[in-house]
């Protein structure tokens, strides 16, 4: 499938502007809105010396436009400050925890997509029957459930009461030590397969099930509902009617001819739910002690480690913009009619 | 007259479908409890979090305490009941504030268009570049904990959606023949906006806003859970869940019931939103009408 090069270039240029816009917004929120930003940056138990130092680091004595330029400079050079909770540079902390979150989110989205699309197709095909009603109740509940509460309940039921699934961390420490497992990419599921280490693979698979399923609840419902809505439109289109007239079996019509036309908007909407899901990951990771960026951000929030929180927010926001761009480009490849 | 009839059809369709009717009941119950809970809670002092009963800690649910008691011996039922008031205040506050910012921006950008419109909508887009909850988190972390700060933080992350919705509606309405007629008749811009644009452009926005209250409750609870929402001992549902978290392995009821309250309320709002959307869409309405009334 050809990529529209003009569209791609335009979209990438727009991405640069959006990222600068995001940085501008965080600058306004963190440096301009608070009455004394240095107090927030120095932390709750800071000494006067530390506050003075924070004031210098933030360039608060300089005029605002210079402050913004210096802020951008610091950002691109990687001077994001030091977290006083972990006592290491924030950029290092954030980057080292990014892969754990990505692994969790990718698995969650895979679950959501693989289960959600057939669910939506069935609901659309059986529209206005009890099956459709049941599907609707399930999807509405899934979209309305507080994800942190679902995480707690899942942990309680499957981890504590039934004891069939581990409910904290990515992998058991002793398995790592016994098998001599090493990190390569940071994705444990991939690393363990590369090394042929099936014990770690099985163990990390067990660990990822609960958090991933909990995190998948929202994108699952979204993909199911989106598939149903788009599918219902597609099924009324003339080309489907002619397929019916030709006497093709229903399954072929639904899954081969109608589903393809349905997928583009579904993928787009799932991609856009990424922003919601990654903030959901803040809470899910906190509950499941999953050492990703969400856990890091939530712990920083709980201990008022302001610079670390802002670091997470910026990286997640930029990531979100990039994902949106990628989704739009994919969308334009699937559906060439899409324009900027 | 026609609009009145349309609203009645939508309402009758909602009442006739059991699922939609149930959602209407949930929402109404939530509002009634939310308004009256400060007066009807069985243990008012427990509800406001002012008491500490050592001998009543971690009592499982029974008749006296239907949802059990928490780590400080307070009645969970009372706290959950009073929590509905806070959720109602948060929902109304967030949506109201978001509308107050969003409507003028949308109407101005849509009606005047041109450079003003472009600038206003670019600013709106900048807010939308953030994942919605993330913006609320960073704002709440900056402003500090508290009910008012929570509402402000959520409203600021929320208004761009309404600005966009109003912008699109205004753009459609301003090209209607009756607006041209009003211009030819010599009405001032202010009159046209207030008499013609706003009444016609805002109905969908208000419906959307009313139904967004469920999401507002959900997101506020999330913020409280990760520690940037209201301050303890406020009986906000998200905070109640996080308070019950530490003792969940031996006293599940403390975290369970507030979460269930969030779930039921938000499900009510979302189902109702679904029902209204479906019955307001003429294509779908025809199908449903046929099914409900059997013609």
């Amino acid at each position: 499938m050809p990529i529209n090069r003009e569209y791609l270039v335009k979209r990438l240029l727009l991405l640069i502007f959006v990222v600068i816009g995001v940085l501008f917004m965080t600058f306004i929120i963190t440096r301009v809105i608070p009455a004394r930003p240095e107090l927030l940056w120095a932390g709750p138990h800071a000494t006067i010396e530390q506050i003075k130092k924070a004031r210098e680091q933030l360039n608060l004595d300089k005029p605002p436009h210079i402050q913004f330029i210096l802020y951008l400079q610091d950002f691109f050079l990687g001077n994001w400050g030091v977290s006083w909770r972990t006592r290491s540079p924030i950029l290092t902390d954030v980057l080292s925890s990014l892969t754990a979150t990505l692994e969790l989110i990718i698995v969650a989205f895979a679950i959501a997509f693989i289960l959600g699309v057939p669910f939506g197709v069935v609901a659309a095909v059986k529209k206005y029957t009890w099956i459709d009603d049941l599907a609707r109740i399930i999807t509405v509940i899934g979209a309305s459930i507080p994800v942190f509460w679902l995480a707690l309940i899942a942990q309680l039921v499957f981890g504590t009461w039934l004891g069939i699934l581990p409910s904290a961390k990515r992998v058991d420490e002793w398995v790592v030590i016994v098998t001599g497992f090493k990190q390569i990419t940071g994705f444990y599921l991939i690393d363990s397969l590369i090394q042929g280490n099936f014990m770690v693979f099985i163990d990390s698979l067990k660990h990822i099930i609960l958090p991933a399923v909990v995190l998948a609840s929202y994108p699952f419902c979204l993909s199911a509902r989106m598939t149903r809505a788009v599918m219902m439109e597609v099924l009324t289109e003339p080309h489907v009617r002619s397929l019916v007239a030709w006497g093709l079996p229903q399954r072929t019509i639904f899954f081969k001819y109608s589903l393809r036309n349905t997928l583009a908007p579904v993928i787009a909407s799932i991609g856009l739910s990424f922003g919601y899901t990654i903030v959901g990951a803040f809470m899910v990771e906190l509950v499941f002690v999953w050492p990703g960026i969400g856990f890091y951000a939530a712990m920083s929030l709980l201990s008022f480690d302001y610079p670390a929180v802002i670091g997470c927010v910026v990286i997640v926001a930029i990531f979100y913009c990039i994902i949106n761009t990628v989704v739009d480009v994919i969308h334009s490849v699937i559906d060439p009619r899409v324009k900027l | 007259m026609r609009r009145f009839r349309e609203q009645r059809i939508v309402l009758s369709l909602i009442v006739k479908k059991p699922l939609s009717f149930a959602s209407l009941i949930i929402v109404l119950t939530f509002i009634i409890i939310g308004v009256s809970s400060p007066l009807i809670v069985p243990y008012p002092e427990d509800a406001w979090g002012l008491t500490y009963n050592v001998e009543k800690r971690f009592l499982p649910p029974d008749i006296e305490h239907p949802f059990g008691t928490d780590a400080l011996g307070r009645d969970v039922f009372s706290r959950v009941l009073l929590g509905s008031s806070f959720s109602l205040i948060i929902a109304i506050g967030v949506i109201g504030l978001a509308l107050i910012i969003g409507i003028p921006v949308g109407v101005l950008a849509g009606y005047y268009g041109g450079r003003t419109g472009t600038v206003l909508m670019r600013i709106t887009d900048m807010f939308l570049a953030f994942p919605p909850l993330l913006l609320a988190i960073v704002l709440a972390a900056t402003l500090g904990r508290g009910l008012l700060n929570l509402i402000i933080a959520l409203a600021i992350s929320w208004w761009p959606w309404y600005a966009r919705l109003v912008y699109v509606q205004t753009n459609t309405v301003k090209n209607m023949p009756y607006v041209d007629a009003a211009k030819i008749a010599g009405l001032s811009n202010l009159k046209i906006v207030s008499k013609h644009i706003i009444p016609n452009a805002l109905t969908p926005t208000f419906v959307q806003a009313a139904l967004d209250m469920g999401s507002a409750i959900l997101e506020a609870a999330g913020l409280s859970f990760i520690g940037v929402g209201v301050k303890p001992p406020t009986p906000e549902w998200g905070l109640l869940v996080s308070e019950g978290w530490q003792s969940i392995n031996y006293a599940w009821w403390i975290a369970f019931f507030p979460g269930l309250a969030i779930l039921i309320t938000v499900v009510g709002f979302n189902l109702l939103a679904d029902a209204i959307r479906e019955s307001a869409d003429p294509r779908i309405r025809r199908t449903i009408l046929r099914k409900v009334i059997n013609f």
Side-chain angles (χ1 to χ4, degrees):
Chain A
M1 275 182 272
I3 294 179
N4 185 343
R5 197 163 294 161
E6 195 190 348
Y7 178 80
L8 192 67
V9 170
K10 269 189 192 169
R11 206 67 191 73
L12 288 178
L13 279 178
L14 188 68
L15 176 65
I16 295 171
F17 278 107
V18 171
V19 167
I20 294 195
V22 163
L23 289 173
F24 180 66
M25 288 268 298
T26 38
F27 174 76
I28 297 280
I29 294 171
T30 57
R31 308 274 176 95
V32 182
I33 291 179
R36 296 190 62 194
E38 65 270 26
L39 291 186
L40 280 170
W41 288 83
H45 308 296
T47 59
I48 295 173
E49 285 301 307
Q50 282 168 323
I51 292 171
K52 263 189 193 155
K53 209 176 145 205
R55 200 175 160 76
E56 252 167 52
Q57 274 173 353
L58 297 178
N59 306 307
L60 289 173
D61 302 320
K62 302 195 174 75
H65 57 282
I66 305 279
Q67 274 185 48
F68 182 60
I69 291 168
L70 289 172
Y71 169 79
L72 284 183
Q73 189 187 330
D74 273 351
F75 174 81
F76 286 110
L77 291 178
N79 301 329
W80 292 21
V82 174
S83 153
W84 57 263
R85 185 173 63 87
T86 61
R87 304 200 181 283
S88 50
I90 291 163
L91 188 61
T92 326
D93 277 357
V94 167
L95 289 181
S96 70
S97 54
L98 209 53
T99 44
T101 300
L102 273 181
E103 185 172 54
L104 181 63
I105 287 188
I106 290 170
V107 174
F109 270 91
I111 294 172
F113 193 71
I114 292 166
L115 294 181
V117 170
F119 208 78
V121 171
V122 170
V125 171
K126 306 269 181 197
K127 60 183 169 188
Y128 306 132
T129 63
W130 65 271
I131 297 177
D132 184 25
D133 271 346
L134 183 71
R136 174 190 288 188
I137 294 177
I138 292 173
T139 51
V140 167
I141 288 180
S144 316
I145 205 160
V147 66
F148 53 91
W149 181 72
L150 185 64
L152 284 178
I153 301 296
Q155 197 179 39
L156 180 69
V157 172
F158 294 99
T160 311
W161 287 354
L162 299 176
I164 46 178
L165 286 171
S167 58
K169 302 240 167 87
R170 290 177 82 181
V171 66
D172 272 335
E173 288 300 323
W174 68 269
V175 179
V176 172
I177 294 165
V178 165
T179 57
F181 171 71
K182 281 193 193 66
Q183 284 194 42
I184 303 170
T185 57
F187 294 91
Y188 284 13
L189 289 175
I190 296 174
D191 288 354
S192 55
L193 278 186
I194 292 174
Q195 297 170 31
N197 190 337
F198 285 101
M199 257 178 99
V200 172
F201 181 75
I202 299 286
D203 196 56
S204 45
L205 198 62
K206 270 188 187 166
H207 276 82
I208 209 170
I209 288 176
L210 277 185
V213 167
V214 168
L215 196 59
S217 66
Y218 181 75
F220 160 74
C221 298
L222 197 75
S223 56
R225 288 171 64 90
M226 215 39 213
T227 310
R228 174 183 177 271
V230 182
M231 189 82 173
M232 276 170 69
E233 294 249 315
V234 171
L235 288 179
T236 60
E237 274 172 21
H239 76 270
V240 174
R241 206 179 310 148
S242 51
L243 290 175
V244 176
W246 278 339
L248 258 67
Q250 281 209 326
R251 181 168 309 182
T252 321
I253 297 176
F254 293 146
F255 283 96
K256 191 166 174 198
Y257 291 97
S258 313
L259 191 57
R260 181 173 299 171
N261 294 338
T262 310
L263 280 185
V266 172
I267 289 174
S269 75
I270 294 179
L272 292 179
S273 80
F274 176 83
Y276 197 90
T277 310
I278 198 161
V279 180
F282 279 36
M283 304 166 203
V284 173
E285 288 182 2
L286 181 64
V287 172
F288 286 105
V289 202
W290 189 267
I293 191 165
F295 180 72
Y296 182 73
M299 287 307 285
S300 306
L301 274 172
L302 289 175
S303 52
F304 303 100
D305 192 351
Y306 192 70
V309 171
I310 303 306
C312 296
V313 167
V314 169
I315 197 102
V316 169
I318 289 174
F319 218 76
Y320 175 67
C321 298
I322 294 173
I323 293 275
N324 279 353
T325 308
V326 172
V327 168
D328 279 355
V329 170
I330 292 176
H331 195 176
S332 80
V333 171
I334 299 176
D335 185 347
R337 288 167 301 178
V338 173
K339 283 217 180 83
L340 196 64
Chain B
M1 189 61 206
R2 244 194 88 222
R3 195 192 290 167
F4 178 66
R5 239 190 79 209
E6 218 158 83
Q7 281 168 1
R8 265 191 37 197
I9 292 178
V10 170
L11 194 66
S12 69
L13 278 173
I14 289 172
V15 174
K16 274 178 186 135
K17 287 193 77 183
L19 206 56
S20 317
F21 187 61
S23 69
L24 195 63
I25 298 290
I26 293 175
V27 169
L28 288 178
T29 316
F30 165 70
I31 292 173
I32 292 169
I33 293 179
V35 170
S36 63
S37 75
L39 305 171
I40 60 169
V41 286
Y43 301 90
E45 288 180 341
D46 285 10
W48 290 100
L50 305 170
T51 42
Y52 177 43
N53 290 318
V54 188
E55 66 276 16
K56 282 169 80 178
R57 296 177 71 197
F58 300 125
L59 290 181
D62 60 10
I63 298 166
E64 209 176 316
H65 303 286
F67 294 174
T69 61
D70 67 7
L72 298 177
R74 299 176 293 203
D75 181 37
V76 176
F77 180 65
S78 299
R79 286 176 68 72
V80 171
L81 219 53
L82 189 61
S84 64
S85 295
F86 282 92
S87 290
L88 191 62
I89 293 171
I90 290 169
I92 292 174
V94 169
I95 303 294
L97 197 55
L99 284 175
I100 290 174
I101 309 172
I103 290 175
V105 172
V107 169
L108 275 181
Y111 186 70
Y112 289 107
R115 197 170 288 167
T116 329
T118 314
V119 169
L120 284 175
M121 290 326 283
R122 283 297 153 269
I123 294 175
T124 313
D125 285 345
M126 220 151 80
F127 280 83
L128 290 173
F130 269 89
L133 249 176
L134 197 68
L135 186 58
I137 287 177
V138 56
L139 277 165
T142 307
L143 296 172
R145 290 174 113 178
L147 186 63
L148 189 63
N149 289 345
L150 174 65
I151 291 175
I152 292 172
L154 276 173
I156 289 179
S157 71
W158 215 290
W159 70 266
W161 303 98
Y162 296 142
R164 259 215 181 156
L165 197 61
V166 174
Y167 171 75
V168 172
Q169 293 290 333
T170 310
N171 250 333
T172 327
V173 172
K174 85 169 178 194
N175 293 323
M176 293 276 172
Y178 57 78
V179 176
D180 288 339
K183 269 184 196 156
I184 294 166
L187 258 65
S188 64
N189 276 333
L190 188 69
K191 266 247 162 84
I192 295 177
V193 167
S194 63
K195 294 272 175 193
H196 295 287
I197 305 274
I198 288 189
N200 288 301
L202 291 196
T203 318
T205 312
F206 281 134
V207 174
Q208 179 68 41
L211 299 167
D212 279 348
M213 286 173 65
S215 321
I217 293 170
L218 193 61
E219 302 206 341
L223 290 188
S224 291
F225 181 79
I226 50 175
V228 287
V230 297
K231 279 183 205 148
T234 315
E236 201 276 336
W237 286 339
L239 192 61
L240 291 182
V241 173
S242 99
E243 280 172 7
W245 180 15
Q246 292 147 349
S247 49
I248 192 160
N249 284 338
Y250 46 92
W252 54 270
W253 50 88
I254 307 172
F256 178 76
F257 287 109
L260 193 66
I262 303 174
L263 175 61
I264 293 173
T265 310
V266 181
V267 164
F269 274 105
N270 284 349
L271 273 180
L272 192 62
D274 244 22
I276 290 181
R277 218 171 289 136
E278 291 231 317
S279 40
D281 183 344
R283 271 175 309 172
I284 299 170
R285 187 164 67 205
R286 232 169 288 131
T287 340
I288 302 177
L289 266 179
R290 216 171 294 140
K291 208 156 163 60
V292 173
I293 312 173
N294 283 322
F295 64 74

